[in-house]
Coordinates of all heavy atoms in Angstrom, one line a residue:
M1 N 97.0 19.6 -89.9 CA 97.0 20.5 -90.9 C 96.6 21.9 -90.5 O 95.5 22.1 -89.9 CB 95.9 20.1 -92.0 CG 95.8 20.9 -93.2 SD 94.8 20.0 -94.4 CE 94.1 21.3 -95.2
G2 N 97.4 22.9 -90.6 CA 97.3 24.2 -90.1 C 96.7 25.1 -91.1 O 96.6 24.8 -92.3
L3 N 96.3 26.3 -90.7 CA 95.8 27.2 -91.6 C 96.7 27.7 -92.6 O 96.3 28.0 -93.7 CB 95.1 28.4 -90.7 CG 93.9 28.2 -89.9 CD1 93.6 29.5 -89.2 CD2 92.7 27.9 -90.8
A4 N 98.0 27.8 -92.3 CA 99.0 28.2 -93.2 C 99.1 27.3 -94.4 O 99.4 27.8 -95.5 CB 100.3 28.3 -92.5
S5 N 98.7 26.0 -94.3 CA 98.8 25.1 -95.4 C 97.6 25.1 -96.4 O 97.6 24.5 -97.4 CB 99.0 23.7 -94.9 OG 97.9 23.3 -94.2
L6 N 96.5 25.9 -96.0 CA 95.4 25.9 -96.8 C 95.6 27.0 -97.9 O 96.3 28.0 -97.7 CB 94.2 26.3 -95.9 CG 93.8 25.4 -94.8 CD1 92.7 25.9 -94.0 CD2 93.4 24.0 -95.4
N7 N 94.9 26.8 -99.0 CA 94.9 27.8 -100.1 C 94.0 28.9 -99.6 O 93.1 28.8 -98.8 CB 94.5 27.2 -101.4 CG 93.0 26.9 -101.6 OD1 92.2 27.7 -101.2 ND2 92.8 25.6 -102.0
P8 N 94.2 30.1 -100.2 CA 93.4 31.3 -99.8 C 91.9 31.1 -99.9 O 91.1 31.7 -99.0 CB 93.8 32.4 -100.9 CG 95.1 32.0 -101.3 CD 95.1 30.4 -101.2
V9 N 91.4 30.4 -100.9 CA 89.8 30.1 -100.9 C 89.4 29.3 -99.7 O 88.4 29.6 -99.2 CB 89.5 29.4 -102.3 CG1 88.0 29.1 -102.3 CG2 89.9 30.3 -103.4
E10 N 90.2 28.3 -99.4 CA 89.8 27.5 -98.1 C 89.9 28.3 -96.9 O 89.0 28.2 -96.0 CB 90.7 26.2 -98.1 CG 90.6 25.3 -99.2 CD 91.7 24.2 -99.1 OE1 92.8 24.5 -98.9 OE2 91.3 23.1 -99.4
R11 N 91.0 29.1 -96.8 CA 91.1 29.9 -95.5 C 89.9 30.9 -95.5 O 89.3 31.0 -94.4 CB 92.3 30.8 -95.6 CG 93.6 30.0 -95.2 CD 94.9 30.9 -95.3 NE 94.7 32.1 -94.5 CZ 95.2 32.1 -93.2 NH1 95.7 31.1 -92.7 NH2 95.1 33.3 -92.5
R12 N 89.6 31.5 -96.5 CA 88.4 32.5 -96.5 C 87.2 31.8 -96.1 O 86.4 32.4 -95.4 CB 88.3 33.1 -97.9 CG 87.2 34.2 -97.9 CD 87.4 35.1 -99.1 NE 86.6 36.3 -99.0 CZ 86.9 37.4 -98.3 NH1 87.9 37.5 -97.5 NH2 86.0 38.4 -98.2
S13 N 87.0 30.6 -96.7 CA 85.7 29.8 -96.3 C 85.7 29.6 -94.8 O 84.6 29.7 -94.3 CB 85.7 28.6 -97.2 OG 84.5 27.8 -96.8
L14 N 86.8 29.1 -94.3 CA 86.8 28.8 -92.9 C 86.5 30.0 -92.0 O 85.7 29.9 -91.1 CB 88.1 28.1 -92.5 CG 88.3 26.6 -93.1 CD1 89.7 26.2 -92.6 CD2 87.3 25.7 -92.5
F15 N 87.2 31.1 -92.3 CA 87.0 32.3 -91.5 C 85.6 32.9 -91.7 O 85.0 33.4 -90.8 CB 88.0 33.4 -91.8 CG 89.3 33.0 -91.1 CD1 90.4 32.6 -91.9 CD2 89.5 33.2 -89.8 CE1 91.6 32.4 -91.2 CE2 90.6 32.8 -89.1 CZ 91.7 32.5 -89.8
T16 N 85.0 32.7 -92.9 CA 83.6 33.1 -93.1 C 82.6 32.3 -92.3 O 81.7 32.8 -91.6 CB 83.2 33.0 -94.6 OG1 84.1 33.9 -95.3 CG2 81.7 33.4 -94.8
E17 N 82.9 31.0 -92.1 CA 82.1 30.1 -91.3 C 82.3 30.4 -89.9 O 81.3 30.4 -89.0 CB 82.5 28.6 -91.6 CG 82.1 28.1 -92.9 CD 82.5 26.6 -93.1 OE1 82.7 25.8 -92.1 OE2 82.7 26.3 -94.3
A18 N 83.5 30.8 -89.5 CA 83.8 31.2 -88.1 C 83.0 32.4 -87.7 O 82.4 32.4 -86.7 CB 85.3 31.4 -87.9
V19 N 83.0 33.4 -88.6 CA 82.3 34.6 -88.3 C 80.8 34.3 -88.1 O 80.2 34.8 -87.1 CB 82.4 35.7 -89.5 CG1 81.4 36.8 -89.3 CG2 83.8 36.2 -89.5
A20 N 80.2 33.5 -88.9 CA 78.8 33.1 -88.8 C 78.6 32.4 -87.4 O 77.6 32.7 -86.7 CB 78.4 32.2 -89.9
A21 N 79.5 31.5 -87.0 CA 79.3 30.8 -85.8 C 79.5 31.8 -84.6 O 78.7 31.7 -83.6 CB 80.5 29.7 -85.6
Y22 N 80.4 32.7 -84.6 CA 80.5 33.7 -83.5 C 79.3 34.6 -83.4 O 78.9 34.8 -82.4 CB 81.8 34.6 -83.7 CG 83.1 33.8 -83.5 CD1 84.1 33.9 -84.5 CD2 83.3 32.9 -82.4 CE1 85.3 33.2 -84.3 CE2 84.4 32.2 -82.3 CZ 85.5 32.3 -83.2 OH 86.6 31.6 -83.1
E23 N 78.7 34.9 -84.6 CA 77.5 35.8 -84.6 C 76.4 35.0 -84.0 O 75.6 35.6 -83.2 CB 77.2 36.3 -86.0 CG 78.2 37.3 -86.4 CD 78.0 37.7 -87.9 OE1 77.4 37.0 -88.7 OE2 78.5 38.9 -88.2
R24 N 76.3 33.7 -84.2 CA 75.2 32.9 -83.6 C 75.4 32.8 -82.1 O 74.5 32.9 -81.3 CB 75.2 31.5 -84.2 CG 74.6 31.4 -85.6 CD 74.3 30.0 -86.1 NE 75.5 29.1 -86.0 CZ 76.4 29.0 -87.1 NH1 76.2 29.7 -88.2 NH2 77.4 28.2 -86.9
S25 N 76.7 32.7 -81.7 CA 77.0 32.6 -80.3 C 76.6 33.9 -79.6 O 76.1 34.0 -78.5 CB 78.5 32.4 -80.1 OG 78.8 32.4 -78.7
L26 N 76.9 35.1 -80.3 CA 76.6 36.4 -79.7 C 75.1 36.6 -79.6 O 74.6 37.4 -78.8 CB 77.3 37.5 -80.4 CG 78.7 37.5 -80.2 CD1 79.3 38.5 -81.2 CD2 79.1 38.0 -78.8
A27 N 74.3 35.9 -80.5 CA 72.8 36.0 -80.3 C 72.3 35.4 -79.0 O 71.3 35.8 -78.4 CB 72.1 35.3 -81.5
I28 N 73.1 34.4 -78.5 CA 72.7 33.8 -77.2 C 73.5 34.5 -76.0 O 72.8 34.7 -74.9 CB 73.1 32.3 -77.3 CG1 72.4 31.6 -78.4 CG2 72.9 31.6 -75.9 CD1 72.9 30.2 -78.7
F29 N 74.7 34.8 -76.2 CA 75.5 35.4 -75.2 C 76.1 36.9 -75.7 O 77.3 36.9 -76.0 CB 76.7 34.5 -74.8 CG 76.3 33.2 -74.3 CD1 76.4 32.1 -75.2 CD2 75.7 33.0 -73.1 CE1 76.0 30.8 -74.7 CE2 75.3 31.7 -72.7 CZ 75.5 30.6 -73.5
P30 N 75.3 37.8 -75.7 CA 75.7 39.1 -76.4 C 76.8 39.8 -75.6 O 77.4 40.7 -76.2 CB 74.4 39.9 -76.5 CG 73.6 39.3 -75.4 CD 73.9 37.9 -75.3
L31 N 77.0 39.5 -74.4 CA 78.0 40.2 -73.6 C 79.3 39.4 -73.4 O 80.2 39.9 -72.7 CB 77.5 40.5 -72.1 CG 76.1 41.4 -72.1 CD1 75.7 41.6 -70.7 CD2 76.4 42.6 -72.9
D32 N 79.5 38.3 -74.1 CA 80.7 37.5 -74.0 C 81.9 38.2 -74.8 O 82.0 38.1 -76.0 CB 80.5 36.1 -74.6 CG 81.5 35.2 -74.3 OD1 82.7 35.5 -74.2 OD2 81.2 34.0 -74.0
E33 N 82.8 38.8 -74.0 CA 83.8 39.5 -74.5 C 84.8 38.6 -75.3 O 85.5 39.0 -76.3 CB 84.6 40.4 -73.5 CG 85.3 39.7 -72.5 CD 84.4 39.4 -71.3 OE1 83.2 39.7 -71.2 OE2 85.0 38.7 -70.3
H34 N 84.9 37.4 -74.9 CA 85.8 36.4 -75.5 C 85.4 36.1 -76.9 O 86.1 36.0 -77.9 CB 86.0 35.2 -74.7 CG 86.6 35.4 -73.3 ND1 87.8 35.9 -73.1 CD2 85.9 35.4 -72.1 CE1 88.0 36.0 -71.8 NE2 86.9 35.7 -71.2
V35 N 84.1 35.9 -77.1 CA 83.5 35.6 -78.4 C 83.7 36.9 -79.3 O 84.0 36.8 -80.5 CB 82.1 35.2 -78.4 CG1 81.3 35.1 -79.8 CG2 81.9 33.9 -77.6
L36 N 83.4 38.1 -78.7 CA 83.6 39.3 -79.5 C 85.0 39.5 -80.0 O 85.3 39.9 -81.1 CB 83.2 40.5 -78.6 CG 81.8 40.7 -78.4 CD1 81.5 41.6 -77.2 CD2 81.1 41.3 -79.6
V37 N 86.0 39.1 -79.2 CA 87.4 39.2 -79.6 C 87.6 38.2 -80.7 O 88.3 38.6 -81.8 CB 88.4 39.0 -78.5 CG1 89.8 38.7 -78.9 CG2 88.4 40.2 -77.5
R38 N 87.2 37.0 -80.6 CA 87.4 36.0 -81.6 C 86.7 36.3 -82.9 O 87.3 36.1 -84.0 CB 86.9 34.6 -81.2 CG 87.7 34.1 -80.0 CD 89.2 34.0 -80.2 NE 89.9 33.5 -79.0 CZ 90.9 34.0 -78.5 NH1 91.6 35.0 -79.2 NH2 91.5 33.5 -77.4
L39 N 85.5 37.0 -82.7 CA 84.9 37.6 -83.9 C 85.7 38.6 -84.6 O 85.9 38.6 -85.8 CB 83.5 38.1 -83.5 CG 82.8 38.8 -84.7 CD1 82.4 38.0 -85.8 CD2 81.5 39.5 -84.1
G40 N 86.3 39.5 -83.9 CA 87.1 40.5 -84.4 C 88.3 39.9 -85.1 O 88.7 40.4 -86.3
Q41 N 88.9 38.9 -84.5 CA 90.1 38.3 -85.2 C 89.6 37.6 -86.5 O 90.4 37.7 -87.5 CB 90.7 37.3 -84.2 CG 91.4 37.9 -83.0 CD 91.8 36.9 -82.0 OE1 91.1 35.9 -81.8 NE2 93.0 37.2 -81.4
A42 N 88.6 37.0 -86.5 CA 88.1 36.4 -87.7 C 87.8 37.4 -88.9 O 88.1 37.3 -90.0 CB 86.9 35.5 -87.5
L43 N 87.2 38.5 -88.4 CA 86.9 39.6 -89.4 C 88.2 40.2 -89.9 O 88.3 40.5 -91.0 CB 86.0 40.6 -88.6 CG 84.6 40.2 -88.4 CD1 83.9 41.1 -87.4 CD2 83.8 40.0 -89.7
D44 N 89.1 40.3 -89.0 CA 90.5 40.8 -89.4 C 91.1 40.0 -90.5 O 91.6 40.4 -91.5 CB 91.4 40.9 -88.3 CG 91.3 42.2 -87.5 OD1 90.8 43.2 -88.0 OD2 91.8 42.2 -86.3
E45 N 91.0 38.7 -90.4 CA 91.5 37.7 -91.3 C 90.7 37.9 -92.7 O 91.4 37.5 -93.8 CB 91.4 36.3 -90.8 CG 92.3 35.9 -89.8 CD 93.7 35.8 -90.2 OE1 94.0 35.6 -91.4 OE2 94.6 36.1 -89.4
L46 N 89.5 38.3 -92.7 CA 88.8 38.5 -93.9 C 88.9 40.0 -94.4 O 88.2 40.3 -95.4 CB 87.3 38.2 -93.7 CG 87.0 36.7 -93.3 CD1 85.5 36.6 -92.9 CD2 87.2 35.8 -94.5
S47 N 89.8 40.8 -93.8 CA 90.0 42.2 -94.2 C 88.7 43.0 -94.0 O 88.6 44.0 -94.7 CB 90.6 42.3 -95.5 OG 91.7 41.7 -95.7
R48 N 87.9 42.6 -93.1 CA 86.6 43.4 -92.8 C 86.9 44.2 -91.5 O 86.4 44.0 -90.4 CB 85.4 42.4 -92.6 CG 85.2 41.7 -93.9 CD 84.2 40.5 -93.7 NE 83.0 40.8 -93.0 CZ 82.1 39.8 -92.8 NH1 82.2 38.6 -93.2 NH2 80.9 40.2 -92.1
F49 N 87.9 45.2 -91.7 CA 88.5 45.8 -90.5 C 87.5 46.7 -89.8 O 87.6 46.8 -88.5 CB 89.7 46.6 -91.0 CG 90.7 45.8 -91.6 CD1 91.0 46.0 -93.0 CD2 91.3 44.7 -90.9 CE1 92.0 45.2 -93.6 CE2 92.3 43.9 -91.5 CZ 92.6 44.2 -92.8
D50 N 86.6 47.4 -90.4 CA 85.6 48.2 -89.7 C 84.7 47.4 -88.8 O 84.4 47.8 -87.7 CB 84.7 49.0 -90.7 CG 85.6 50.2 -91.4 OD1 86.6 50.6 -90.8 OD2 85.1 50.6 -92.5
E51 N 84.3 46.3 -89.3 CA 83.4 45.4 -88.5 C 84.3 44.8 -87.3 O 83.7 44.7 -86.2 CB 82.9 44.2 -89.3 CG 81.9 44.7 -90.4 CD 81.6 43.6 -91.3 OE1 80.7 42.8 -91.0 OE2 82.2 43.5 -92.3
A52 N 85.5 44.4 -87.5 CA 86.4 43.9 -86.5 C 86.6 45.0 -85.4 O 86.5 44.6 -84.2 CB 87.7 43.5 -87.1
R53 N 86.8 46.2 -85.8 CA 87.1 47.3 -84.8 C 85.9 47.4 -83.9 O 85.9 47.6 -82.7 CB 87.3 48.6 -85.6 CG 87.7 49.8 -84.7 CD 88.0 51.0 -85.5 NE 89.3 50.7 -86.2 CZ 89.4 50.7 -87.5 NH1 88.4 51.1 -88.2 NH2 90.4 50.5 -88.1
S54 N 84.7 47.3 -84.5 CA 83.4 47.4 -83.8 C 83.3 46.3 -82.7 O 82.9 46.5 -81.6 CB 82.2 47.4 -84.7 OG 81.0 47.3 -84.0
A55 N 83.7 45.0 -83.1 CA 83.6 43.9 -82.2 C 84.7 44.1 -81.1 O 84.3 43.9 -79.9 CB 84.0 42.7 -82.9
Y56 N 85.9 44.6 -81.4 CA 86.8 44.8 -80.3 C 86.4 45.9 -79.3 O 86.4 45.7 -78.1 CB 88.2 45.3 -80.8 CG 88.9 44.1 -81.6 CD1 89.2 44.2 -82.9 CD2 89.4 43.0 -80.9 CE1 89.8 43.2 -83.6 CE2 90.1 42.0 -81.5 CZ 90.3 42.2 -82.9 OH 91.0 41.2 -83.6
R57 N 85.8 47.0 -79.9 CA 85.3 48.1 -79.0 C 84.2 47.6 -78.1 O 84.1 48.0 -77.0 CB 84.9 49.2 -79.9 CG 86.1 50.0 -80.5 CD 85.7 51.1 -81.3 NE 86.8 52.0 -81.8 CZ 86.7 52.9 -82.7 NH1 85.5 53.2 -83.2 NH2 87.8 53.6 -83.1
K58 N 83.3 46.8 -78.7 CA 82.2 46.3 -77.9 C 82.7 45.4 -76.7 O 82.2 45.5 -75.7 CB 81.2 45.5 -78.8 CG 79.9 45.2 -78.1 CD 78.9 44.5 -79.0 CE 78.5 45.5 -80.2 NZ 77.5 44.9 -81.0
A59 N 83.7 44.6 -77.0 CA 84.2 43.7 -76.0 C 84.9 44.6 -74.9 O 84.6 44.3 -73.7 CB 85.4 42.8 -76.5
I60 N 85.6 45.6 -75.2 CA 86.2 46.6 -74.2 C 85.0 47.3 -73.5 O 85.2 47.5 -72.2 CB 87.1 47.6 -74.9 CG1 88.4 46.8 -75.4 CG2 87.5 48.7 -73.9 CD1 89.3 47.6 -76.3
E61 N 84.0 47.7 -74.2 CA 82.8 48.4 -73.5 C 82.2 47.5 -72.4 O 81.9 48.0 -71.4 CB 81.8 48.7 -74.6 CG 80.6 49.4 -74.1 CD 79.7 49.7 -75.2 OE1 80.0 50.3 -76.2 OE2 78.4 49.3 -75.1
H62 N 82.1 46.2 -72.7 CA 81.5 45.2 -71.8 C 82.4 44.9 -70.6 O 82.0 44.6 -69.4 CB 81.1 44.0 -72.4 CG 80.0 44.1 -73.4 ND1 78.8 44.6 -73.1 CD2 79.9 43.7 -74.7 CE1 77.9 44.6 -74.1 NE2 78.6 44.2 -75.1
D63 N 83.8 45.0 -70.8 CA 84.7 44.7 -69.7 C 85.9 45.6 -69.8 O 87.0 45.1 -70.2 CB 85.0 43.2 -69.6 CG 85.7 42.8 -68.4 OD1 86.0 43.7 -67.5 OD2 85.8 41.6 -68.1
P64 N 85.8 46.9 -69.6 CA 86.9 47.8 -69.7 C 88.1 47.6 -68.9 O 89.2 48.1 -69.2 CB 86.3 49.2 -69.4 CG 85.1 48.9 -68.6 CD 84.7 47.6 -68.9
N65 N 88.0 46.8 -67.8 CA 89.1 46.5 -66.9 C 89.9 45.3 -67.2 O 91.0 45.1 -66.7 CB 88.6 46.5 -65.5 CG 88.0 47.7 -64.9 OD1 88.5 48.8 -65.2 ND2 86.9 47.7 -64.2
L66 N 89.5 44.6 -68.2 CA 90.2 43.4 -68.7 C 91.3 43.8 -69.7 O 91.0 44.0 -70.9 CB 89.2 42.4 -69.3 CG 89.8 41.0 -69.6 CD1 90.5 40.4 -68.4 CD2 88.8 40.0 -70.1
G67 N 92.5 43.9 -69.2 CA 93.6 44.4 -70.0 C 93.9 43.7 -71.3 O 94.3 44.4 -72.2
V68 N 93.7 42.4 -71.3 CA 94.0 41.6 -72.5 C 93.1 42.1 -73.7 O 93.5 42.0 -74.9 CB 93.8 40.1 -72.2 CG1 92.4 39.8 -72.1 CG2 94.5 39.3 -73.4
L69 N 91.9 42.6 -73.4 CA 91.0 43.1 -74.5 C 91.7 44.3 -75.1 O 91.6 44.4 -76.4 CB 89.6 43.5 -73.9 CG 88.8 42.4 -73.3 CD1 87.5 42.9 -72.8 CD2 88.6 41.2 -74.3
H70 N 92.3 45.2 -74.3 CA 93.0 46.3 -75.0 C 94.2 45.9 -75.8 O 94.5 46.4 -76.8 CB 93.5 47.3 -73.8 CG 92.4 47.8 -73.1 ND1 91.6 49.0 -73.5 CD2 91.7 47.4 -71.9 CE1 90.7 49.3 -72.7 NE2 90.7 48.3 -71.7
A71 N 94.8 44.7 -75.3 CA 96.0 44.2 -76.1 C 95.5 43.7 -77.4 O 96.2 43.9 -78.5 CB 96.7 43.2 -75.3
Y72 N 94.4 43.0 -77.4 CA 93.8 42.5 -78.7 C 93.5 43.6 -79.7 O 93.7 43.5 -80.9 CB 92.6 41.6 -78.5 CG 92.9 40.2 -78.0 CD1 92.4 39.7 -76.8 CD2 93.8 39.3 -78.7 CE1 92.6 38.4 -76.3 CE2 94.0 38.0 -78.2 CZ 93.5 37.7 -77.0 OH 93.7 36.4 -76.6
Y73 N 92.9 44.7 -79.0 CA 92.5 45.8 -79.9 C 93.7 46.5 -80.4 O 93.8 46.8 -81.7 CB 91.6 46.8 -79.0 CG 91.2 47.9 -79.8 CD1 90.4 47.8 -81.0 CD2 91.3 49.2 -79.4 CE1 89.9 48.8 -81.6 CE2 90.8 50.3 -80.0 CZ 90.1 50.1 -81.2 OH 89.7 51.2 -81.9
A74 N 94.8 46.6 -79.7 CA 96.0 47.2 -80.1 C 96.6 46.4 -81.3 O 97.1 46.9 -82.3 CB 97.0 47.3 -79.0
Q75 N 96.6 45.0 -81.2 CA 97.0 44.2 -82.2 C 96.3 44.4 -83.5 O 96.8 44.5 -84.6 CB 97.0 42.7 -81.8 CG 97.5 41.8 -82.9 CD 99.0 41.9 -83.1 OE1 99.7 42.2 -82.2 NE2 99.4 41.7 -84.3
H76 N 94.9 44.6 -83.4 CA 94.0 44.9 -84.6 C 94.5 46.2 -85.2 O 94.7 46.2 -86.4 CB 92.6 44.9 -84.1 CG 91.8 45.7 -85.0 ND1 91.3 45.2 -86.2 CD2 91.3 47.0 -84.9 CE1 90.6 46.2 -86.8 NE2 90.5 47.3 -86.0
L77 N 94.7 47.2 -84.3 CA 95.1 48.5 -84.9 C 96.5 48.5 -85.6 O 96.7 49.2 -86.6 CB 95.1 49.6 -83.8 CG 93.7 49.9 -83.2 CD1 93.9 50.8 -82.0 CD2 92.8 50.4 -84.2
F78 N 97.3 47.6 -85.0 CA 98.7 47.5 -85.7 C 98.6 46.9 -87.1 O 99.2 47.4 -88.0 CB 99.5 46.6 -84.8 CG 101.0 46.4 -85.3 CD1 101.9 47.5 -85.2 CD2 101.4 45.2 -85.8 CE1 103.2 47.3 -85.7 CE2 102.7 45.1 -86.3 CZ 103.5 46.2 -86.2

């Protein structure tokens, strides 16, 4: 069962849970750029764009030479 088959309430609930899980992970590993990107993506799905932008920027700040981070940020901006 994919996310596309879920109703909007179920999708929102899953992404809200994902945000909480990513935030717990960052409490332990605050410099993990992969978790920051996934947090940004989950926040984008919840239309929390300012918070998502912050997560992407923090990921890039921690590893500015990792090109894929810039690509994820560009996707967010798009």
Side-chain angles (χ1 to χ4, degrees):
M1 181 166 148
L3 287 174
S5 65
L6 298 176
N7 71 49
V9 173
E10 291 170 322
R11 281 180 59 91
R12 183 163 192 79
S13 175
L14 288 176
F15 281 109
T16 299
E17 289 177 29
V19 166
Y22 292 133
E23 288 173 341
R24 286 191 305 271
S25 178
L26 288 170
I28 300 166
F29 304 105
L31 304 180
D32 190 325
E33 65 272 359
H34 301 290
V35 174
L36 286 163
V37 164
R38 298 301 178 225
L39 172 61
Q41 291 172 325
L43 289 165
D44 276 340
E45 288 291 332
L46 294 170
S47 299
R48 293 166 55 181
F49 302 117
D50 290 338
E51 293 170 86
R53 184 172 300 116
S54 176
Y56 289 114
R57 287 181 176 170
K58 192 176 291 185
I60 291 169
E61 180 183 307
H62 291 306
D63 195 350
N65 295 320
L66 187 57
V68 72
L69 298 179
H70 297 275
Y72 283 124
Y73 184 53
Q75 182 67 33
H76 158 76
L77 293 174
F78 180 71

